[in-house]
Amino acid sequence: MERYESDTEGDEQETPLLHRGHEDKVQRAPVCCSSRYGLALLSSYGFFVVYSLRVNLSVAMVDMLNNTHQSSANHSGSLCPAHANPPRPKHNHTASLYDWDSETQGWILGSFFYGYILTQIPGGYLAGRFGPKWLMGFGILGTVVFTLLTPVAADLGASYLIAVRVLEGIGEGVTFPAMYTMWAAWAPPLERSRLLTISYIGAQMGTVISLPLSGEICFYLDWTYVFYVFGAVGLVWFVLWAFLVFDSPNTHPRISERERLYITTSLKNELSTSANYIPWQAIVTSRPLWAIVVAHFSYNWTFYTLLTLLPTYMNDILGFSIQQNGILSALPYMGCAVLAVLSGQVADYLRETCQYPTVTVRKSFSVVGMIGPAVFLVAAGYTGCNYTLAVTFLTISSSLGGVSASGFNINHLDIAPSYAGILLGITNTFATIPGMVGPVIARALTTHNTIEEWQTVFYIAAAINLFGALVYTVFGRGSVQPWAVQSSYSHGD
């Protein structure tokens, strides 16, 4: 029997999300040693590289500056008193130091996103046109190369470092749209939450591992090795990606026939039969898409503010050393990674076993993943110098944000799987703006590094998060939109 999902709260006619009967007729392919889960793991490694290269500068920056070097050694520059720690080896400082003011730091940290925003929509289009494998591969490879050039650029001057970071952003900008295009061809609808959360947990793990490891590298070697080590890890990924990944099940030479049939049959009612036609007018006027845009923008404001400035907050306010800083800054993202994977399992269980409508699951997970972080982020601003409570609240805030991974974050594949890469490019374009302006605004508001100034930063982020959750709850949808399933004889918007 065919079953249909619809959004009962929507006033427009919806297209079936999935003819589940077709999936039942084809025996499900095992998870163990499958090509689709192999792709999930290797793409997870790719996003590990992407985020390692994105955030390592946040920790290295603390050690690249003359003024913060002194305060990180004796904590005389931090607002809170020094921590009692056992004696540590003498900090090695053989690399260059720079006299950049807080405004320059803000521009350096935010410059990545000026390149990142340029290739979001082109990335989605190019992935659909020429295939996502090499687009993603060369995009990350380019980022790796410019990462390895970072120490040279920093020595030449702040403007050169900003230029290199912009170029890194251009390379990374294609990765998420390309991967969404890949998953549109690889992810069976009822495994979508699981596969995508495994894939994108790499981003969280990149943050979790690179923050403390960058701190250790800065402490025992110097900040230049941060970029050399993670650049080398990226080169290894590119080799694996080039030889092991393929654009679709039909082009994979080693996939089992059972798995190929399972994937293609489960997707045959969702994918457009006119791949070269893109209904731009319907896309840009789609309310469900704009609901995702607002939610994505709002969530990223909090995410990017913490991603780029948490090490600074740990150093300037809480007085943690460069070594402690990386470890403690990673805790929030460790919690986020764990809840992201758990939420993927729960979301697919609710949809498949409990038969909850997709729209209900997406909205519920989005509300928890956006309002929860807002509450605990504001609370963190009122912990004063209670180090334990501050780190606990910041960790809970980011951890709850991981729940949204099964909310609005993968809703593109629900409403328009054929154009998921393009939709992700559009939403991520707007969602990149917080990365561009958030750190600059936050540093402008915290020139004196007082707790009151940081409270203002946290309030702004929380308010934007609440607004995004409200808009998505009202306008979000969970089913394939009519314009997203085009027949060869119907090309209207």
Side-chain angles (χ1 to χ4, degrees), residues 7 9 356-365:
D7 296 329
E9 52 205 277
Y356 279 90
T358 297
V359 66
T360 303
V361 174
R362 299 294 182 233
K363 289 182 178 181
S364 300
F365 280 62

Side-chain angles (χ1 to χ4, degrees), residues 145-206:
V145 171
F146 287 115
T147 295
L148 293 170
L149 294 174
T150 298
V152 175
D155 274 340
L156 291 173
S159 58
Y160 287 90
L161 180 55
I162 288 172
V164 164
R165 293 292 289 180
V166 170
L167 291 171
E168 284 186 42
I170 289 174
E172 274 196 29
V174 303
T175 54
F176 277 95
M179 202 60 226
Y180 268 66
T181 302
M182 183 83 83
W183 280 125
W186 273 97
L190 293 180
E191 294 185 9
R192 200 169 271 160
S193 300
R194 275 169 284 194
L195 285 167
L196 266 75
T197 50
I198 291 172
S199 181
Y200 298 126
I201 192 181
Q204 302 298 337
M205 294 309 296

Side-chain angles (χ1 to χ4, degrees), residues 130-144:
F130 301 108
K133 172 186 173 177
W134 290 113
L135 183 66
M136 181 167 174
F138 285 121
I140 296 181
L141 180 63
T143 306
V144 167

Side-chain angles (χ1 to χ4, degrees), residues 36-57:
R36 65 191 188 281
Y37 279 87
L39 174 63
L41 293 174
L42 199 52
S43 61
S44 185
Y45 179 12
F47 286 113
F48 170 88
V49 172
V50 163
Y51 268 71
S52 295
L53 303 184
R54 186 183 301 192
V55 306
N56 55 15
L57 180 63

Side-chain angles (χ1 to χ4, degrees), residues 296-369:
H296 204 168
F297 175 95
S298 303
Y299 174 81
N300 273 17
W301 189 284
T302 300
F303 182 79
Y304 283 142
T305 297
L306 287 180
L307 191 70
T308 53
L309 293 178
L310 191 55
T312 301
Y313 182 77
M314 292 285 188
N315 182 78
D316 293 352
I317 301 298
L318 300 180
F320 290 109
S321 69
I322 183 69
Q323 193 177 43
Q324 298 166 316
N325 197 328
I327 297 171
L328 293 172
S329 295
L331 280 178
Y333 302 100
M334 190 178 299
C336 185
V338 171
L339 282 194
V341 172
L342 291 177
S343 71
Q345 300 294 322
V346 174
D348 279 348
Y349 174 80
L350 291 175
R351 294 169 64 224
E352 182 178 9
T353 305
C354 301
Q355 299 183 2
Y356 279 90
T358 297
V359 66
T360 303
V361 174
R362 299 294 182 233
K363 289 182 178 181
S364 300
F365 280 62
S366 295
V367 167
V368 174

Side-chain angles (χ1 to χ4, degrees), residues 112-118 120 296-297 300 304 427-437:
F112 169 91
F113 299 100
Y114 285 87
Y116 190 68
I117 197 173
L118 296 176
Q120 294 295 319
H296 204 168
F297 175 95
N300 273 17
Y304 283 142
T427 66
N428 222 17
T429 295
F430 287 94
T432 300
I433 295 173
M436 297 163 61
V437 302

Side-chain angles (χ1 to χ4, degrees), residues 93-436:
H93 227 314
T94 57
S96 302
L97 297 175
Y98 309 101
D99 294 309
W100 296 327
D101 58 24
S102 61
E103 183 180 359
T104 303
Q105 295 171 46
W107 283 109
I108 291 173
L109 291 171
S111 59
F112 169 91
F113 299 100
Y114 285 87
Y116 190 68
I117 197 173
L118 296 176
T119 47
Q120 294 295 319
I121 295 176
Y125 174 76
L126 292 172
R129 184 94 181 186
F130 301 108
K133 172 186 173 177
W134 290 113
L135 183 66
M136 181 167 174
F138 285 121
I140 296 181
L141 180 63
T143 306
V144 167
V145 171
F146 287 115
T147 295
L148 293 170
L149 294 174
T150 298
V152 175
D155 274 340
L156 291 173
S159 58
Y160 287 90
L161 180 55
I162 288 172
V164 164
R165 293 292 289 180
V166 170
L167 291 171
E168 284 186 42
I170 289 174
E172 274 196 29
V174 303
T175 54
F176 277 95
M179 202 60 226
Y180 268 66
T181 302
M182 183 83 83
W183 280 125
W186 273 97
L190 293 180
E191 294 185 9
R192 200 169 271 160
S193 300
R194 275 169 284 194
L195 285 167
L196 266 75
T197 50
I198 291 172
S199 181
Y200 298 126
I201 192 181
Q204 302 298 337
M205 294 309 296
T207 307
V208 166
I209 293 174
S210 68
L211 284 173
L213 187 54
S214 295
E216 295 291 331
I217 292 171
C218 285
F219 190 84
Y220 288 107
L221 300 171
D222 62 55
W223 63 263
T224 60
Y225 286 91
V226 169
F227 304 101
Y228 298 145
V229 169
F230 288 108
V233 172
L235 291 176
V236 173
W237 171 85
F238 178 76
V239 173
L240 294 174
W241 184 262
F243 286 102
L244 299 177
V245 167
F246 296 87
D247 284 327
S248 70
N250 289 328
T251 58
H252 197 304
R254 294 181 297 275
I255 189 174
S256 69
E257 180 63 17
R258 177 178 171 185
E259 183 179 12
R260 186 193 65 77
L261 189 62
Y262 165 54
I263 295 171
T264 54
T265 303
S266 69
L267 290 170
K268 72 178 184 180
N269 294 299
E270 291 203 344
L271 299 179
S272 170
T273 57
S274 180
N276 292 325
Y277 173 72
I278 301 173
W280 287 108
Q281 182 181 341
I283 288 174
V284 299
T285 56
S286 171
R287 282 187 300 172
L289 173 61
W290 285 104
I292 302 173
V293 168
V294 175
H296 204 168
F297 175 95
S298 303
Y299 174 81
N300 273 17
W301 189 284
T302 300
F303 182 79
Y304 283 142
T305 297
L306 287 180
L307 191 70
T308 53
L309 293 178
L310 191 55
T312 301
Y313 182 77
M314 292 285 188
N315 182 78
D316 293 352
I317 301 298
L318 300 180
F320 290 109
S321 69
I322 183 69
Q323 193 177 43
Q324 298 166 316
N325 197 328
I327 297 171
L328 293 172
S329 295
L331 280 178
Y333 302 100
M334 190 178 299
C336 185
V338 171
L339 282 194
V341 172
L342 291 177
S343 71
Q345 300 294 322
V346 174
D348 279 348
Y349 174 80
L350 291 175
R351 294 169 64 224
E352 182 178 9
T353 305
C354 301
Q355 299 183 2
Y356 279 90
T358 297
V359 66
T360 303
V361 174
R362 299 294 182 233
K363 289 182 178 181
S364 300
F365 280 62
S366 295
V367 167
V368 174
M370 296 180 74
I371 293 180
V375 171
F376 283 96
L377 187 62
V378 170
Y382 287 90
T383 57
C385 288
N386 187 328
Y387 312 111
T388 303
L389 204 56
V391 173
T392 299
F393 283 171
L394 288 169
T395 299
I396 294 174
S397 177
S398 286
S399 297
L400 289 175
V403 176
S404 67
S406 296
F408 72 86
N409 217 18
I410 58 175
N411 195 213
H412 317 71
L413 282 164
D414 297 321
I415 66 172
S418 293
Y419 308 110
I422 292 173
L423 264 58
L424 191 278
I426 293 171
T427 66
N428 222 17
T429 295
F430 287 94
T432 300
I433 295 173
M436 297 163 61

